[in-house]
Amino acid sequence: MHVDQLDAAQVAQALAEAESDYQALLAQGLSLDLTRGKPSAEQTNLSNDLDGILKGHYAAQDGTDVRNYGGLDGLPEAKALFAQALQVPADEMLIAGNASLTLMYQVIDFALRFGFRKAWNKGASTPKFLCPVPGYDRHFAICEYLGIEMVTLPMLDDGPDMDVAEALVQELDNVCGIWCVPRFSNPTGCVYSEATLARLAELPKLAQNDFIVMYDNAYAVHALTDDAPALGNIRDYAVAAGTENHIVQFGSTSKITFAGAGVAFLSTSKANLAVLKHHLGFQTIGPDKVNQLRHVAFFQNHEGLMAHMTRHASIMKPRFNAVLTTLDAKLGGTGMGTWISPEGGYFVSFETRPGLAKTVIRLASDAGIKLTPAGATFPYGNDPQDSNIRIAPSFPSIADVQATMDAFVLCVRLATLRSLASSGTFGS
Amino acid sequence: MHVDQLDAAQVAQALAEAESDYQALLAQGLSLDLTRGKPSAEQTNLSNDLDGILKGHYAAQDGTDVRNYGGLDGLPEAKALFAQALQVPADEMLIAGNASLTLMYQVIDFALRFGFRKAWNKGASTPKFLCPVPGYDRHFAICEYLGIEMVTLPMLDDGPDMDVAEALVQELDNVCGIWCVPRFSNPTGCVYSEATLARLAELPKLAQNDFIVMYDNAYAVHALTDDAPALGNIRDYAVAAGTENHIVQFGSTSKITFAGAGVAFLSTSKANLAVLKHHLGFQTIGPDKVNQLRHVAFFQNHEGLMAHMTRHASIMKPRFNAVLTTLDAKLGGTGMGTWISPEGGYFVSFETRPGLAKTVIRLASDAGIKLTPAGATFPYGNDPQDSNIRIAPSFPSIADVQATMDAFVLCVRLATLRSLASSGTFGS
């Protein structure tokens, strides 16, 4: 029954049950962790053949000895392979080291300091960035660290609220860019619609500044099912809009092969690539080309990579199912929270009733269940509604995901009922 | 015979011979390259077993799954291994990605922007760095890129001229640090003496600023012979002086295993490491630990690493011999140039008579011999004496090194004799 339909006595009874269940949960002394979106050992096992795959052959297709210095933008065959994941031409790719986060940091740092065409920080006011919320904490941390003011806008089911984005870009001074995770967004799981992409590609034209769309396509090939929604091609929209110098797309194999020992890449216009390579040349002689060659040898081609992702999906799907069936069974129709069923990516985004996220996370923590800190999905760690909780089911075993979710829904139930009981406002 | 002892007729005759020899050289149509200090394929072959050495075992000694995220400062066993190369305790190490240049850039960038204790750029004047010359172009490029003014000081046979360094640090405003390559310095090959290290460790005390010794120990284990001079322990001197927060030491396996696919590291005080890790956390989730584990598995221990370096030396030594015996045989006693015989590292530093380096390099270039550009070993590419030429013999075959050196000494001879003939000042 929906909690808004419960009368005082029903709330009291349901609360008593929840308190009792919670005492039993505490008594279990669990120690579980659902915090970070990292692959399980079962997933990384899929790529164990990477080490040793070269069998002594260290030459790239063009004869380059990958063991030696050189090549700031990576191997041509790695460009060709990963360009297909991002739906861009191979000559608009740069293949780097093990972290796309590093590439994102570098792009914003370069743009702030020198600019692709002119530096951002020459404006009168603090540079600003649009941040669809909820979003990814490490994106927000880069902005905060580099002194960029974050302006939030709502995330809808088909991407950022573009009406708000367009208004903010025109109304505010010195808006420099927007963060996007366009497919299986972190954490809501939404996929940007064609209409959103088209408007995103036009957005730089509305800005006073040298606006950059930071297009973190982290989950480009990370569908859970064969019929998960595809993502449109932002590069085509940008070329049509004449804004290809204002889009920088990112990706990596962190959640394809090894998290932390994979290959990161970006794609942008050739003009931007030339600027980036100039800047990168002061801080590196080049990326680890041996690891790039390993990845090419391992996947062979895009079809090999997609077949590999199907194997990931078969490991991930039961974990997502454990989350979603538990939420449906225990909280469906109760009004105690809302969530969407993502068809890819690494997260389920859960919304408590307003003001309860911190309480739920504390209750879970007291019961030995570690959840992502409240507010982590918002700039400055501040969720104004105190309602968003990011659930990351990839790493634990299926049994642990199930145990954690059983505890989680109980914590949601207890927090909601305690709140209702103390507020004294009941339905019917 | 020394050129200063030649009379006009002897110069004219020697010049005619040199011109004739040079025409013959041009007719050979050579295409040789002695520019960059990178290992030969024969050297990188020594480490071919790196790929595949893990044989499916991806667990660190403490059980860490190296395939997954985490660990900003690298694997403990990698710290223990490389700490011995730098003569420091393992808990003062940070093990990173594939490029020590990146670590150097990051340290200077962090120090400028935020400081280890306070930011450098809060001073009234431009931050300044002491640069012993000749030195390493990529060090100088970092300073120029980040807006740090470079102040040169002479490099002596036992390290930087510390009298000058101490005077500059006290006389100039806002001196923030000094670049050092303490063993087999790039390019002179000198090894800093104990007295130099002791004074270097005291230098931060004389500075007004939060002074940093950028101690690029790139050739710490890169001796050509067993009896090459050892390097003292800067960390011990710093601890004695109480300046351990002002020394940051760097190293990598770029010239031990694979150039560009090795492991880079730094060592500094625990207090500094904590600051660095805080900053690094905004731009990476952690380094490639799989590659770190590969390196540990490959070397096993410091003795294994040193045995590997002996194999490098046996490949490098004949190339250095080709350079040095040719210089001795063709230019020894002529007064046409000076050089020292390094006992390790990657370079031979040659000094022409003043004003002739560019000419020699152009003559060589016209004959198909690529040499490091004149001035590259000086800040802003400006060698005020126009005399330093860096010779890097590691990469070509021994035959090519010999052919290049035969051409090089001819170019030196021709440039010197042309200069003498046109100046009209002769000896005897």
Side-chain angles (χ1 to χ4, degrees):
Chain A
M1 190 189 279
H2 196 286
V3 287
D4 289 341
Q5 297 171 332
L6 299 179
D7 62 23
Q10 287 170 313
V11 166
Q13 188 191 334
L15 178 56
E17 280 171 25
E19 296 283 7
S20 166
D21 290 349
Y22 186 66
Q23 289 306 315
L25 176 66
L26 289 177
Q28 287 183 50
L30 297 177
S31 177
L32 299 165
D33 188 325
L34 222 62
T35 57
R36 283 231 77 97
K38 62 187 209 180
S40 63
E42 202 180 340
Q43 288 177 269
T44 48
N45 280 344
L46 296 174
S47 305
N48 277 356
D49 287 348
L50 265 176
D51 184 62
I53 198 151
L54 296 179
K55 301 190 197 320
H57 299 295
Y58 288 100
Q61 280 166 18
D62 64 2
T64 298
D65 183 343
V66 296
R67 302 167 301 181
N68 224 318
Y69 292 122
L72 268 173
D73 48 1
L75 293 181
E77 52 265 58
K79 293 182 188 182
L81 173 61
F82 297 121
Q84 287 179 268
L86 300 186
Q87 309 179 64
V88 299
D91 62 359
E92 293 180 9
M93 294 288 289
L94 180 146
I95 317 291
N98 73 326
S100 61
L101 188 74
T102 302
L103 287 171
M104 293 178 226
Y105 176 93
Q106 287 169 326
V107 163
I108 293 199
D109 187 33
F110 299 153
L112 259 178
R113 209 187 298 230
F114 302 100
F116 283 93
R117 281 147 295 266
K118 65 182 172 89
W120 284 342
N121 55 0
K122 299 293 186 283
S125 68
T126 308
K128 296 175 189 65
F129 238 74
L130 302 186
C131 299
V133 290
Y136 179 35
D137 55 353
R138 287 184 181 271
H139 290 165
F140 303 153
I142 289 175
C143 282
E144 190 168 0
Y145 180 72
L146 293 175
I148 294 170
E149 185 182 329
M150 289 177 275
V151 180
T152 61
L153 73 162
M155 182 70 91
L156 308 179
D157 287 349
D158 63 347
D161 187 327
M162 293 307 298
D163 290 341
V164 176
E166 288 161 3
L168 287 171
V169 160
Q170 293 171 86
E171 285 163 17
L172 294 177
D173 183 46
N174 211 7
V175 179
C176 298
I178 184 170
W179 283 110
C180 298
V181 183
R183 194 178 190 212
F184 313 128
S185 187
N186 176 352
T188 76
C190 81
V191 178
Y192 290 17
S193 67
E194 297 286 341
T196 298
L197 294 191
R199 291 172 75 179
L200 207 48
E202 293 281 342
L203 198 57
K205 292 183 185 171
L206 301 178
Q208 310 153 29
N209 224 313
D210 204 6
F211 190 92
I212 294 188
V213 178
M214 294 289 289
Y215 196 85
D216 182 4
N217 207 345
Y219 308 106
V221 292
H222 301 62
L224 289 170
T225 60
D226 289 343
D227 56 355
L231 178 69
N233 189 327
I234 187 72
R235 191 251 178 200
D236 288 349
Y237 285 111
V239 169
T243 56
E244 63 269 35
N245 287 335
H246 299 269
I247 315 278
V248 188
Q249 191 171 175
F250 302 89
S252 81
T253 69
S254 291
K255 288 171 182 120
I256 297 176
T257 56
F258 293 157
V263 170
F265 38 88
L266 69 71
S267 175
T268 187
S269 69
K270 291 192 196 73
N272 281 358
L273 283 179
V275 173
L276 281 174
K277 281 166 65 174
H278 167 75
H279 290 297
L280 283 171
F282 291 95
Q283 52 182 285
T284 182
I285 300 175
D288 182 342
K289 298 186 296 295
V290 174
N291 207 32
Q292 294 184 4
L293 194 64
R294 276 191 200 102
H295 278 73
V296 173
F298 183 67
F299 291 122
Q300 297 290 326
N301 51 41
H302 184 65
E303 291 64 40
L305 190 153
M306 294 310 295
H308 185 79
M309 294 315 293
T310 301
R311 292 187 278 276
H312 275 290
S314 70
I315 298 168
M316 293 282 275
K317 193 87 176 82
R319 288 169 170 80
F320 273 80
N321 283 347
V323 172
L324 295 166
T325 56
T326 308
L327 290 175
D328 283 338
K330 304 285 183 60
L331 298 180
T334 66
M336 292 189 188
T338 57
W339 61 93
I340 64 166
S341 299
E343 299 183 65
Y346 267 65
F347 304 105
V348 175
S349 183
F350 183 87
E351 296 281 333
T352 67
R353 291 164 78 99
L356 294 184
K358 278 184 193 152
T359 306
V360 169
I361 288 164
R362 186 180 43 75
L363 288 170
S365 172
D366 290 348
I369 312 286
K370 213 172 152 190
L371 295 171
T372 305
T377 55
F378 283 75
Y380 312 107
N382 175 32
D383 174 1
Q385 294 284 319
D386 184 26
S387 63
N388 186 254
I389 299 175
R390 189 183 79 168
I391 296 170
S394 58
F395 190 71
S397 67
I398 298 172
D400 281 353
V401 172
Q402 187 59 59
T404 310
M405 289 310 298
D406 289 340
F408 175 77
V409 295
L410 170 55
C411 294
V412 171
R413 185 155 56 94
L414 180 58
T416 309
L417 292 166
R418 279 185 182 173
S419 164
L420 283 171
S422 68
S423 73
T425 53
F426 307 104
S428 51
Chain B
M1 193 190 277
H2 196 286
V3 286
D4 289 341
Q5 296 170 331
L6 300 178
D7 62 24
Q10 287 170 317
V11 166
Q13 190 194 336
L15 177 57
E17 280 171 25
E19 296 284 6
S20 166
D21 290 348
Y22 185 66
Q23 289 307 315
L25 176 67
L26 289 178
Q28 287 183 52
L30 297 178
S31 177
L32 298 165
D33 188 325
L34 222 62
T35 58
R36 284 231 76 96
K38 63 187 209 179
S40 63
E42 201 181 339
Q43 288 178 268
T44 49
N45 280 345
L46 296 174
S47 305
N48 277 355
D49 287 348
L50 266 177
D51 184 61
I53 197 151
L54 296 179
K55 302 191 196 319
H57 299 295
Y58 288 99
Q61 280 165 16
D62 64 2
T64 298
D65 183 343
V66 296
R67 301 167 303 180
N68 225 317
Y69 291 123
L72 267 173
D73 48 0
L75 294 181
E77 52 265 58
K79 292 182 189 183
L81 173 61
F82 297 120
Q84 287 179 267
L86 300 186
Q87 309 179 62
V88 299
D91 61 0
E92 293 180 9
M93 294 287 290
L94 180 146
I95 317 290
N98 72 327
S100 61
L101 188 75
T102 303
L103 286 172
M104 292 179 227
Y105 177 93
Q106 287 169 326
V107 163
I108 293 198
D109 187 33
F110 298 153
L112 259 179
R113 208 187 299 230
F114 302 100
F116 283 91
R117 283 146 292 266
K118 65 182 172 86
W120 286 341
N121 55 359
K122 300 293 186 282
S125 67
T126 308
K128 296 174 189 66
F129 238 75
L130 302 186
C131 299
V133 289
Y136 180 36
D137 54 352
R138 288 185 181 271
H139 290 166
F140 304 153
I142 288 176
C143 282
E144 191 169 0
Y145 179 73
L146 292 176
I148 294 171
E149 185 182 329
M150 289 176 275
V151 180
T152 61
L153 72 164
M155 182 70 92
L156 308 178
D157 287 349
D158 62 349
D161 187 327
M162 292 308 297
D163 290 340
V164 177
E166 287 161 2
L168 287 171
V169 159
Q170 295 172 84
E171 284 163 19
L172 295 177
D173 184 46
N174 210 7
V175 179
C176 297
I178 184 170
W179 284 111
C180 297
V181 182
R183 195 178 190 211
F184 312 128
S185 188
N186 177 351
T188 76
C190 81
V191 178
Y192 290 18
S193 66
E194 296 286 341
T196 299
L197 295 190
R199 291 172 76 179
L200 207 48
E202 293 281 341
L203 198 56
K205 292 184 185 173
L206 301 178
Q208 309 153 31
N209 223 314
D210 205 6
F211 190 92
I212 293 187
V213 178
M214 295 289 289
Y215 196 86
D216 182 4
N217 207 345
Y219 309 105
V221 292
H222 301 62
L224 288 170
T225 59
D226 289 341
D227 56 355
L231 179 69
N233 189 326
I234 187 71
R235 192 253 177 197
D236 288 348
Y237 285 111
V239 169
T243 56
E244 62 270 35
N245 288 335
H246 299 269
I247 315 280
V248 188
Q249 192 171 175
F250 302 89
S252 82
T253 69
S254 291
K255 290 175 181 112
I256 297 176
T257 57
F258 294 158
V263 170
F265 38 88
L266 69 71
S267 175
T268 187
S269 69
K270 291 192 195 74
N272 281 359
L273 283 178
V275 173
L276 281 174
K277 281 166 65 175
H278 166 76
H279 290 296
L280 284 172
F282 292 96
Q283 51 183 286
T284 182
I285 301 176
D288 181 341
K289 298 186 295 298
V290 174
N291 207 33
Q292 293 184 6
L293 194 64
R294 276 191 200 101
H295 278 73
V296 174
F298 182 67
F299 291 121
Q300 297 290 327
N301 51 42
H302 184 65
E303 290 65 38
L305 190 153
M306 294 311 294
H308 186 80
M309 294 316 293
T310 301
R311 291 188 279 276
H312 276 289
S314 69
I315 298 167
M316 293 282 274
K317 192 84 176 84
R319 289 169 168 81
F320 273 80
N321 283 348
V323 172
L324 295 166
T325 56
T326 308
L327 290 176
D328 283 337
K330 304 286 183 63
L331 298 180
T334 67
M336 292 190 187
T338 59
W339 60 93
I340 64 166
S341 299
E343 299 183 64
Y346 267 64
F347 305 103
V348 175
S349 183
F350 183 88
E351 296 281 332
T352 67
R353 290 163 77 99
L356 295 184
K358 279 185 193 150
T359 306
V360 169
I361 288 164
R362 185 179 46 73
L363 288 170
S365 171
D366 291 348
I369 312 286
K370 215 171 150 191
L371 295 171
T372 306
T377 55
F378 283 75
Y380 313 108
N382 175 31
D383 174 1
Q385 293 285 318
D386 185 26
S387 63
N388 187 253
I389 299 176
R390 190 183 78 167
I391 297 170
S394 58
F395 191 71
S397 67
I398 299 171
D400 280 354
V401 172
Q402 187 60 60
T404 310
M405 288 310 298
D406 289 341
F408 175 78
V409 295
L410 170 55
C411 294
V412 171
R413 185 156 56 97
L414 180 58
T416 309
L417 292 166
R418 278 185 183 173
S419 164
L420 282 172
S422 68
S423 73
T425 53
F426 309 104
S428 51

